[in-house]
Amino acid sequence: MAFAYLICDMKINIIPTTKFALLLTAVAAALLTFTPSARALTIGDGHELGFVNFGIPSGDSDRLTYVNHLVGMALGTSDKADGQTYFRSNNSFSPLPQAVLGGLADGTSTTIDLGSGLYTYLFAKYDGPNYGSEVWYVGDLSGTITIPATAGGYGLSGWTLFGPGVPGVPDGGTTAMLLGAALSVLGLARRYIMS
């Protein structure tokens, strides 16, 4: 009986432990960078654009007028226009584009999904004629946020998100950033596995 032996000349690459640890750290850092985190907005916080007293009438086009009036005001000032009294916060955001009706979203929940940077302003109305309306700049936020259920002792009536985006479609900058991060991680993995 004849036996044939097969000799295989195969090179096995073993990744050194330190290189493997560096690779895993890079992958974990890339994943954590893009993990949306919940953030709570509060009355008078660093994202407050201003306050409208009272914000009535409160249809979408009325809310658009109120937000754009605050956008045009100087920091820390008050003004009367459109039958409202406006108070602009001292928070500086740059640049402040005009709010637009295209792509707006409305709701009544205190939990709001901003998506991936699609919206610029959040207008929240608190109890009709009894309190007023809070406006936050959310152009630098993404993911899920929460807003107060009450302000000045009055409950949230509803909110509107304004911004120049199309809901559900990430902007070009976010897409490019995600693609770049993915390609970087793949390049790093290839480099460490092949060396």
Side-chain angles (χ1 to χ4, degrees), residues 154-173:
Y154 296 99
L156 175 68
S157 303
W159 52 261
T160 301
L161 285 167
F162 293 99
V166 178
V169 179
D171 67 351

PDB file of all heavy atoms in Angstrom, residues 154-173:
ATOM      1  N   TYR A 154     -45.758  75.040  33.528  1.00  0.00           N
ATOM      2  CA  TYR A 154     -46.744  74.706  32.495  1.00  0.00           C
ATOM      3  C   TYR A 154     -46.213  73.602  31.591  1.00  0.00           C
ATOM      4  O   TYR A 154     -45.012  73.535  31.305  1.00  0.00           O
ATOM      5  CB  TYR A 154     -47.097  75.945  31.675  1.00  0.00           C
ATOM      6  CG  TYR A 154     -47.761  77.014  32.507  1.00  0.00           C
ATOM      7  CD1 TYR A 154     -47.040  78.083  32.993  1.00  0.00           C
ATOM      8  CD2 TYR A 154     -49.113  76.917  32.825  1.00  0.00           C
ATOM      9  CE1 TYR A 154     -47.647  79.056  33.784  1.00  0.00           C
ATOM     10  CE2 TYR A 154     -49.734  77.879  33.603  1.00  0.00           C
ATOM     11  CZ  TYR A 154     -48.989  78.939  34.080  1.00  0.00           C
ATOM     12  OH  TYR A 154     -49.597  79.891  34.863  1.00  0.00           O
ATOM     13  N   GLY A 155     -47.131  72.758  31.096  1.00  0.00           N
ATOM     14  CA  GLY A 155     -46.750  71.598  30.303  1.00  0.00           C
ATOM     15  C   GLY A 155     -46.444  71.910  28.845  1.00  0.00           C
ATOM     16  O   GLY A 155     -46.886  72.913  28.289  1.00  0.00           O
ATOM     17  N   LEU A 156     -45.668  71.013  28.253  1.00  0.00           N
ATOM     18  CA  LEU A 156     -45.308  71.107  26.840  1.00  0.00           C
ATOM     19  C   LEU A 156     -46.556  70.897  25.976  1.00  0.00           C
ATOM     20  O   LEU A 156     -47.266  69.910  26.121  1.00  0.00           O
ATOM     21  CB  LEU A 156     -44.257  70.047  26.500  1.00  0.00           C
ATOM     22  CG  LEU A 156     -43.840  69.908  25.038  1.00  0.00           C
ATOM     23  CD1 LEU A 156     -43.075  71.152  24.590  1.00  0.00           C
ATOM     24  CD2 LEU A 156     -42.970  68.664  24.850  1.00  0.00           C
ATOM     25  N   SER A 157     -46.830  71.858  25.073  1.00  0.00           N
ATOM     26  CA  SER A 157     -47.955  71.734  24.140  1.00  0.00           C
ATOM     27  C   SER A 157     -47.529  71.043  22.851  1.00  0.00           C
ATOM     28  O   SER A 157     -48.307  70.327  22.235  1.00  0.00           O
ATOM     29  CB  SER A 157     -48.509  73.116  23.782  1.00  0.00           C
ATOM     30  OG  SER A 157     -48.897  73.814  24.931  1.00  0.00           O
ATOM     31  N   GLY A 158     -46.293  71.292  22.416  1.00  0.00           N
ATOM     32  CA  GLY A 158     -45.793  70.704  21.180  1.00  0.00           C
ATOM     33  C   GLY A 158     -44.511  71.379  20.753  1.00  0.00           C
ATOM     34  O   GLY A 158     -44.106  72.389  21.314  1.00  0.00           O
ATOM     35  N   TRP A 159     -43.852  70.789  19.751  1.00  0.00           N
ATOM     36  CA  TRP A 159     -42.586  71.329  19.263  1.00  0.00           C
ATOM     37  C   TRP A 159     -42.514  71.214  17.752  1.00  0.00           C
ATOM     38  O   TRP A 159     -43.231  70.434  17.134  1.00  0.00           O
ATOM     39  CB  TRP A 159     -41.389  70.636  19.918  1.00  0.00           C
ATOM     40  CG  TRP A 159     -41.412  69.131  19.845  1.00  0.00           C
ATOM     41  CD1 TRP A 159     -41.804  68.275  20.834  1.00  0.00           C
ATOM     42  CD2 TRP A 159     -41.033  68.297  18.731  1.00  0.00           C
ATOM     43  NE1 TRP A 159     -41.704  66.969  20.401  1.00  0.00           N
ATOM     44  CE2 TRP A 159     -41.225  66.958  19.125  1.00  0.00           C
ATOM     45  CE3 TRP A 159     -40.568  68.555  17.453  1.00  0.00           C
ATOM     46  CZ2 TRP A 159     -40.958  65.882  18.274  1.00  0.00           C
ATOM     47  CZ3 TRP A 159     -40.295  67.489  16.601  1.00  0.00           C
ATOM     48  CH2 TRP A 159     -40.492  66.175  17.024  1.00  0.00           C
ATOM     49  N   THR A 160     -41.588  72.003  17.178  1.00  0.00           N
ATOM     50  CA  THR A 160     -41.306  71.965  15.740  1.00  0.00           C
ATOM     51  C   THR A 160     -39.802  72.048  15.537  1.00  0.00           C
ATOM     52  O   THR A 160     -39.138  72.874  16.159  1.00  0.00           O
ATOM     53  CB  THR A 160     -41.985  73.140  15.001  1.00  0.00           C
ATOM     54  OG1 THR A 160     -43.392  73.067  15.213  1.00  0.00           O
ATOM     55  CG2 THR A 160     -41.703  73.092  13.509  1.00  0.00           C
ATOM     56  N   LEU A 161     -39.279  71.181  14.672  1.00  0.00           N
ATOM     57  CA  LEU A 161     -37.874  71.234  14.267  1.00  0.00           C
ATOM     58  C   LEU A 161     -37.787  71.921  12.914  1.00  0.00           C
ATOM     59  O   LEU A 161     -38.552  71.601  12.000  1.00  0.00           O
ATOM     60  CB  LEU A 161     -37.293  69.823  14.132  1.00  0.00           C
ATOM     61  CG  LEU A 161     -36.990  69.084  15.424  1.00  0.00           C
ATOM     62  CD1 LEU A 161     -36.738  67.608  15.141  1.00  0.00           C
ATOM     63  CD2 LEU A 161     -35.799  69.705  16.123  1.00  0.00           C
ATOM     64  N   PHE A 162     -36.858  72.868  12.792  1.00  0.00           N
ATOM     65  CA  PHE A 162     -36.630  73.566  11.523  1.00  0.00           C
ATOM     66  C   PHE A 162     -35.203  73.324  11.061  1.00  0.00           C
ATOM     67  O   PHE A 162     -34.288  73.268  11.864  1.00  0.00           O
ATOM     68  CB  PHE A 162     -36.813  75.077  11.698  1.00  0.00           C
ATOM     69  CG  PHE A 162     -38.212  75.491  12.004  1.00  0.00           C
ATOM     70  CD1 PHE A 162     -38.592  75.762  13.307  1.00  0.00           C
ATOM     71  CD2 PHE A 162     -39.155  75.608  10.998  1.00  0.00           C
ATOM     72  CE1 PHE A 162     -39.881  76.154  13.606  1.00  0.00           C
ATOM     73  CE2 PHE A 162     -40.457  76.006  11.283  1.00  0.00           C
ATOM     74  CZ  PHE A 162     -40.815  76.269  12.595  1.00  0.00           C
ATOM     75  N   GLY A 163     -35.033  73.229   9.774  1.00  0.00           N
ATOM     76  CA  GLY A 163     -33.693  73.091   9.226  1.00  0.00           C
ATOM     77  C   GLY A 163     -33.728  72.870   7.742  1.00  0.00           C
ATOM     78  O   GLY A 163     -34.752  72.499   7.184  1.00  0.00           O
ATOM     79  N   PRO A 164     -32.594  73.112   7.109  1.00  0.00           N
ATOM     80  CA  PRO A 164     -32.533  72.989   5.659  1.00  0.00           C
ATOM     81  C   PRO A 164     -32.237  71.582   5.164  1.00  0.00           C
ATOM     82  O   PRO A 164     -31.571  71.407   4.179  1.00  0.00           O
ATOM     83  CB  PRO A 164     -31.393  73.949   5.294  1.00  0.00           C
ATOM     84  CG  PRO A 164     -30.501  73.906   6.483  1.00  0.00           C
ATOM     85  CD  PRO A 164     -31.406  73.704   7.665  1.00  0.00           C
ATOM     86  N   GLY A 165     -32.696  70.552   5.831  1.00  0.00           N
ATOM     87  CA  GLY A 165     -32.393  69.192   5.405  1.00  0.00           C
ATOM     88  C   GLY A 165     -33.630  68.437   5.000  1.00  0.00           C
ATOM     89  O   GLY A 165     -34.739  68.876   5.219  1.00  0.00           O
ATOM     90  N   VAL A 166     -33.438  67.286   4.404  1.00  0.00           N
ATOM     91  CA  VAL A 166     -34.520  66.387   4.054  1.00  0.00           C
ATOM     92  C   VAL A 166     -34.499  65.271   5.092  1.00  0.00           C
ATOM     93  O   VAL A 166     -33.488  64.583   5.238  1.00  0.00           O
ATOM     94  CB  VAL A 166     -34.330  65.799   2.633  1.00  0.00           C
ATOM     95  CG1 VAL A 166     -35.439  64.819   2.310  1.00  0.00           C
ATOM     96  CG2 VAL A 166     -34.266  66.923   1.615  1.00  0.00           C
ATOM     97  N   PRO A 167     -35.570  65.086   5.864  1.00  0.00           N
ATOM     98  CA  PRO A 167     -35.567  64.075   6.915  1.00  0.00           C
ATOM     99  C   PRO A 167     -35.184  62.688   6.399  1.00  0.00           C
ATOM    100  O   PRO A 167     -35.628  62.267   5.348  1.00  0.00           O
ATOM    101  CB  PRO A 167     -37.007  64.076   7.427  1.00  0.00           C
ATOM    102  CG  PRO A 167     -37.544  65.412   7.049  1.00  0.00           C
ATOM    103  CD  PRO A 167     -36.843  65.786   5.769  1.00  0.00           C
ATOM    104  N   GLY A 168     -34.325  62.011   7.164  1.00  0.00           N
ATOM    105  CA  GLY A 168     -33.940  60.646   6.849  1.00  0.00           C
ATOM    106  C   GLY A 168     -32.748  60.514   5.921  1.00  0.00           C
ATOM    107  O   GLY A 168     -32.276  59.426   5.688  1.00  0.00           O
ATOM    108  N   VAL A 169     -32.245  61.620   5.383  1.00  0.00           N
ATOM    109  CA  VAL A 169     -31.103  61.558   4.478  1.00  0.00           C
ATOM    110  C   VAL A 169     -29.929  62.289   5.129  1.00  0.00           C
ATOM    111  O   VAL A 169     -30.025  63.477   5.383  1.00  0.00           O
ATOM    112  CB  VAL A 169     -31.417  62.214   3.119  1.00  0.00           C
ATOM    113  CG1 VAL A 169     -30.221  62.174   2.200  1.00  0.00           C
ATOM    114  CG2 VAL A 169     -32.605  61.545   2.482  1.00  0.00           C
ATOM    115  N   PRO A 170     -28.822  61.598   5.439  1.00  0.00           N
ATOM    116  CA  PRO A 170     -27.699  62.293   6.052  1.00  0.00           C
ATOM    117  C   PRO A 170     -27.110  63.321   5.099  1.00  0.00           C
ATOM    118  O   PRO A 170     -27.153  63.142   3.880  1.00  0.00           O
ATOM    119  CB  PRO A 170     -26.683  61.189   6.330  1.00  0.00           C
ATOM    120  CG  PRO A 170     -27.249  59.932   5.827  1.00  0.00           C
ATOM    121  CD  PRO A 170     -28.589  60.190   5.225  1.00  0.00           C
ATOM    122  N   ASP A 171     -26.585  64.390   5.662  1.00  0.00           N
ATOM    123  CA  ASP A 171     -25.956  65.394   4.808  1.00  0.00           C
ATOM    124  C   ASP A 171     -24.647  64.856   4.244  1.00  0.00           C
ATOM    125  O   ASP A 171     -24.120  63.854   4.707  1.00  0.00           O
ATOM    126  CB  ASP A 171     -25.742  66.703   5.565  1.00  0.00           C
ATOM    127  CG  ASP A 171     -24.722  66.582   6.676  1.00  0.00           C
ATOM    128  OD1 ASP A 171     -24.299  65.452   6.983  1.00  0.00           O
ATOM    129  OD2 ASP A 171     -24.338  67.612   7.239  1.00  0.00           O
ATOM    130  N   GLY A 172     -24.110  65.511   3.229  1.00  0.00           N
ATOM    131  CA  GLY A 172     -22.899  65.041   2.555  1.00  0.00           C
ATOM    132  C   GLY A 172     -21.705  64.964   3.487  1.00  0.00           C
ATOM    133  O   GLY A 172     -20.878  64.061   3.371  1.00  0.00           O
ATOM    134  N   GLY A 173     -21.584  65.892   4.434  1.00  0.00           N
ATOM    135  CA  GLY A 173     -20.447  65.898   5.360  1.00  0.00           C
ATOM    136  C   GLY A 173     -20.443  64.676   6.255  1.00  0.00           C
ATOM    137  O   GLY A 173     -19.408  64.047   6.480  1.00  0.00           O
TER     138      GLY A 173
END
